[in-house]
Amino acid sequence: MDISYERRVAGISMVIGAITIVLFGVTIFIGIIARTSQGGFITLRPDVFYEFMTLHSVGVAGSLMTGITAMMWYSLRKHLNLHMNLMQIMFGIIGAVVVSLLAATLLGFYGTGWTFLYPLPFKSAGAWDDWAAGLYLLLLLCVVAAMTISWGDVVVVASKKYGFSGAVGWKLIAGIDTPQTTPPPVVLISTITSLCGILSNIAGATVLILLLIHWADPGFYLDYLYIKNLIYYFGHILMNMAMYMAVAIVYELMPIYAKRPWKSNKIVAISWNAAFIAVSLAYMHHLLQDFPQPFIIQVIAVFGSYMAAFPATVVTVVGAMVLVYRSGIKWTVAPLYMFIGLMSWTIGGFWAVLDAGFNNAFHNTMFVPGHFHLYLLAGTSFIFVATLYNITEELGGCKDAFEDRLGLWAWFIGAYGVALTFLLSGVFGAPRRYAVQMPGKEMWSAFGALFGWIVIFALILVIGRYITRLQKVKPLRS
Amino acid sequence: MIQLIVGTAAVLGALIIMAVFWKVGTSSMPRDDDYKHVAEAGYAIRRKYFWALLAVSLVLFIIGVLAFPYPKVMEAKIKGEPFVVKINSKQFQWDLSAAQIPLGPVRFDVTSQDVNHGFGIYDEKGGLVTQSQAMPDYVNKLYVNFTKPGKYKIWCLEYCGVAHHIMATEFEVK
Ligand code: HEM
Ligand SMILES: [Cu+2]
């Protein structure tokens, strides 16, 4: 592949990485303020708390998603010639999204949480303005458009190179393994993941457009249960996509450090096709406490959630372990972030499966933020940061310093503390999304907030070091 | 009770996963250049792990589905006519057709007048007993078999707006 193309993609990813990690840090900070208020150290007015919760979750998830998408392009650069102008369009849209998110929450007091369960956006009991609800739905529609552009490009370009059935691994499953039809794992996983994301985006666009019509014409009738299914199909998969893109990156980068190959084969292809099915079924576990949902769907929901554990751990995690075992790998921060990232994904996923299996005991308790903060804050983000480290190593020849290790371990301790305090308070019954905790359950939030501040310390180190390392990178246009 | 058991499993499982990662991560040296050999040993362990995971998942899956207060499951489990309580909800209050409930099987018919709410029943110690969603236009039938008399609290378990965290009320079982 064309060297100047590779360098340009690396350069763009590096810059997007810098922007998104700063946004990521700022929106995490807002989450910490919210946690500090739940812990009773400060007092946010409830409407402000919920506004912060919304800004935090959409901002953090959005910036991580954007960052990880850029990192995916970076890891695909040796295999696929993606369209750079489409990338730029995508980031243009995301920029508009950031501005409107700030407007909707800070000026319009919008605060439904990221899930926007119908009809809450339109029934705020006076807390937020109608225009803010419309703007929020519109900005999510823009997110859908931006993600569809970038995922669509991956599917199209990969299918052109390997054929569609080659790119998604069906050829491998059928026993056909040729250099023309067998993509490297990063391409295989990115393509399957992108396809899954596009399907969920179709659901997302449908529901957002329906809600926007309702917003314009409140007489327009919508079925609550149907809309809820669509919202969770969209939201659940979108959140999982970030992690799957991150895992695709690990398949590409880990071999560089372990100095061993990680190739596509029949098992890898089967496992990622199974992951596609599992994640598409598992969304239904968000509706396990909606008893009008048909019983068989409820059983499938639990089944799909258990199923998700198989491809993830049996193939990917074990594969990564085999790759590093007796490989002589040097645990510099980049591979260490990746390895711990996989560990957090495993633990967070295990907790998610428990939540689905025993949902009546945990639904909408703090157990839920417990599980997803672990795999987002110590899983996906770790792989994101690992890629940033890899870029500056590749382009600037940077070496690790003491601060890099300090940042890693501080983040590790902070993230596990944040997640575990959420989780345990859920075990003791604390509901999620309470501006003020139920009496007797404040202690967990207080500890959670303290761990959150450790994450802030780590983020300052990581961002500071990234910017320092960037300066070593030679000018992009050489 | 179930929360404590599953919560303990969650923490123990996490520790086991960490131990495995620690073991593998610290066994990276010295390099074995015969990758094929390493991989084959790994895949042998993987086969065993696969079957173990399958067994555990199946058991948990079955326990989970049966322990789940889904109307179909509960109708089979509960003997006799349940006492019926109608639950209506709106931002930000609960409306119960009865505040005194007899011991034994009860069916809550839960719905909402405006947005989605969550009907969460808490015991005196602040533990979550059971829950269902409260959705407008739909009725959630939640069966509970009360074996302990006492005061129970209802808290909202689906985010419904600015006063979600104070949307609570009480009932008594005797
Ligand atoms: C130090 C780090 C973090 C802290 C202290 C923190 C804090 C919080 C708090 C207090 C909530 C509200 C919890 C509740 O009562 O339900 C929350 C929700 C959430 N957070 Fe974080 N967070 C952190 C990092 C992250 C990261 C890295 C992500 C994603 C990449 C994330 C995504 C979310 C999401 C999606 C929600 C759910 C919002 C909702 O319920 O609508 N958080 N976080
Ligand atoms: Cu509520």
Side-chain angles (χ1 to χ4, degrees):
Chain A
M1 197 148 292
D2 176 1
I3 295 290
S4 72
Y5 166 81
E6 277 185 32
R7 260 195 85 86
R8 271 180 67 205
V9 174
I12 292 187
S13 311
M14 185 180 82
V15 175
I16 305 284
I19 297 170
T20 45
I21 195 158
V22 171
L23 278 177
F24 184 68
V26 171
T27 40
I28 281 189
F29 181 70
I30 293 168
I32 291 172
I33 300 290
R35 197 71 177 133
T36 308
S37 166
Q38 282 180 329
F41 295 111
I42 55 170
T43 309
L44 291 179
R45 242 171 45 203
D47 57 337
V48 176
F49 173 89
Y50 291 121
E51 181 194 321
F52 275 21
M53 183 183 86
T54 307
L55 181 57
H56 161 66
S57 54
V58 181
V60 177
S63 52
L64 186 60
M65 210 53 195
T66 314
I68 225 53
T69 306
M71 297 306 122
M72 177 175 75
W73 288 330
Y74 168 74
S75 347
L76 285 169
R77 75 195 185 288
K78 292 189 175 136
H79 313 289
L80 297 181
N81 227 326
L82 296 169
H83 295 94
M84 310 265 283
N85 46 354
L86 286 181
M87 293 185 191
Q88 279 147 1
I89 293 176
M90 178 199 154
F91 288 113
I93 301 177
I94 297 282
V97 165
V98 172
V99 176
S100 33
L101 177 64
L102 289 174
T105 53
L106 297 182
L107 301 178
F109 294 95
Y110 184 75
T112 61
W114 76 273
T115 44
F116 61 100
L117 269 193
Y118 173 68
L120 186 58
F122 315 110
K123 290 195 174 162
S124 73
W128 56 84
D129 301 334
D130 209 31
W131 67 260
L135 182 63
Y136 178 79
L137 297 170
L138 210 58
L139 76 86
L140 276 190
L141 201 57
C142 292
V143 173
V144 168
M147 296 319 295
T148 307
I149 290 175
S150 60
W151 290 335
D153 196 36
V154 172
V155 175
V156 169
V157 175
S159 308
K160 264 199 197 130
K161 185 159 175 193
Y162 302 99
F164 179 75
S165 53
V168 296
W170 295 345
K171 283 257 163 71
L172 269 175
I173 296 176
I176 305 166
D177 185 358
T178 67
Q180 289 77 36
T181 55
T182 302
V186 64
V187 174
L188 179 85
I189 301 165
S190 303
T191 311
I192 294 179
T193 304
S194 298
L195 208 60
C196 194
I198 292 170
L199 287 183
S200 93
N201 275 354
I202 294 174
T206 310
V207 70
L208 289 166
I209 290 170
L210 287 174
L211 290 180
L212 279 165
I213 296 176
H214 180 92
W215 176 68
D217 169 16
F220 183 65
Y221 175 79
L222 293 169
D223 182 273
Y224 298 100
L225 190 59
Y226 171 65
I227 294 290
K228 195 167 176 182
N229 269 284
L230 282 178
I231 289 180
Y232 278 117
Y233 179 64
F234 164 61
H236 174 82
I237 293 187
L238 196 73
M239 284 297 196
N240 274 267
M241 281 311 87
M243 189 68 219
Y244 285 167
M245 287 192 271
V247 174
I249 296 171
V250 174
Y251 272 84
E252 177 75 5
L253 297 188
M254 205 59 155
I256 299 176
Y257 296 97
K259 301 200 175 64
R260 280 176 175 170
W262 199 352
K263 294 225 175 71
S264 300
N265 56 32
K266 197 170 184 167
I267 294 196
V268 171
I270 292 176
S271 89
W272 282 93
N273 277 274
F276 178 116
I277 296 171
V279 72
S280 309
L281 296 178
Y283 93 84
M284 302 164 184
H285 64 214
H286 290 272
L287 287 99
L288 285 173
Q289 303 315 314
D290 281 286
F291 301 153
Q293 189 92 323
F295 185 44
I296 184 70
I297 296 218
Q298 308 290 51
V299 176
I300 294 174
V302 181
F303 176 82
S305 311
Y306 280 102
M307 180 178 165
F310 283 78
T313 63
V314 176
V315 178
T316 298
V317 171
V318 174
M321 288 183 166
V322 168
L323 193 78
V324 301
Y325 186 77
R326 295 270 176 262
S327 66
I329 190 170
K330 274 220 222 50
W331 290 113
T332 53
V333 288
L336 199 51
Y337 266 116
M338 270 190 274
F339 198 61
I340 297 179
L342 286 182
M343 177 173 97
S344 311
W345 179 42
T346 314
I347 298 173
F350 168 58
W351 290 351
V353 171
L354 291 178
D355 179 20
F358 301 90
N359 191 257
N360 188 257
F362 295 116
H363 188 72
N364 280 343
T365 65
M366 284 294 204
F367 196 90
V368 183
H371 98 75
F372 71 71
H373 276 90
L374 192 74
Y375 79 68
L376 290 170
L377 181 62
T380 315
S381 337
F382 267 40
I383 296 169
F384 174 41
V385 173
T387 320
L388 294 180
Y389 272 102
N390 176 270
I391 296 183
T392 47
E393 276 167 21
E394 287 269 309
L395 299 186
C398 300
K399 295 265 177 301
D400 294 349
F402 168 73
E403 291 84 351
D404 295 313
R405 291 195 166 263
L406 182 63
L408 190 161
W409 290 113
W411 194 333
F412 175 77
I413 291 167
Y416 274 70
V418 165
L420 202 64
T421 42
F422 272 135
L423 189 94
L424 290 179
S425 70
V427 168
F428 293 103
R432 75 185 280 198
R433 295 170 168 166
Y434 268 30
V436 181
Q437 297 293 285
M438 250 170 80
K441 312 212 190 282
E442 308 85 351
M443 177 192 78
W444 299 105
S445 313
F447 281 113
L450 295 179
F451 282 112
W453 288 97
I454 300 181
V455 175
I456 282 294
F457 168 71
L459 269 164
I460 292 173
L461 281 178
V462 169
I463 295 175
R465 281 290 298 157
Y466 182 56
I467 290 170
T468 319
R469 288 166 68 118
L470 276 188
Q471 288 160 2
K472 290 232 181 77
V473 176
K474 283 171 226 91
L476 289 176
R477 310 174 184 281
S478 59
Chain B
M1 197 54 207
I2 183 155
Q3 281 95 345
L4 278 185
I5 297 170
V6 179
T8 310
V11 174
L12 287 180
L15 288 175
I16 292 172
I17 294 169
M18 288 170 104
V20 174
F21 271 84
W22 174 260
K23 174 83 191 120
V24 173
T26 51
S27 308
S28 65
M29 297 287 182
R31 180 173 171 93
D32 183 344
D33 274 316
D34 186 2
Y35 182 34
K36 223 173 154 201
H37 175 75
V38 174
E40 264 157 23
Y43 296 150
I45 297 175
R46 171 161 86 181
R47 237 164 283 135
K48 287 195 197 122
Y49 166 71
F50 173 83
W51 290 110
L53 182 65
L54 190 65
V56 174
S57 301
L58 269 178
V59 172
L60 290 183
F61 172 67
I62 291 167
I63 297 177
V65 169
L66 294 180
F68 175 42
Y70 201 84
K72 276 224 165 69
V73 176
M74 293 307 275
E75 275 158 19
K77 268 197 209 163
I78 283 187
K79 315 243 172 323
E81 269 305 296
F83 181 84
V84 177
V85 184
K86 288 200 182 320
I87 306 285
N88 206 341
S89 54
K90 63 173 183 232
Q91 282 168 330
F92 298 96
Q93 70 192 61
W94 296 102
D95 184 12
L96 285 65
S97 69
Q100 307 265 338
I101 295 175
L103 272 172
V106 174
R107 192 185 82 212
F108 294 96
D109 288 354
V110 186
T111 189
S112 160
Q113 275 174 34
D114 43 35
V115 298
N116 289 279
H117 299 280
F119 177 67
I121 303 179
Y122 279 79
D123 63 22
E124 270 170 10
K125 292 198 201 104
L128 174 60
V129 179
T130 185
Q131 62 169 313
S132 86
Q133 289 279 298
M135 183 183 262
D137 285 0
Y138 286 88
V139 178
N140 269 268
K141 294 187 182 351
L142 176 66
Y143 289 87
V144 189
N145 197 4
F146 284 105
T147 52
K148 270 197 213 114
K151 281 210 166 50
Y152 289 80
K153 260 205 145 175
I154 299 170
W155 286 92
C156 187
L157 282 185
E158 185 61 75
Y159 175 59
C160 57
V162 273
H164 164 58
H165 58 286
I166 47 177
M167 180 169 164
T169 187
E170 267 187 358
F171 64 84
E172 194 174 3
V173 172
K174 49 179 174 186

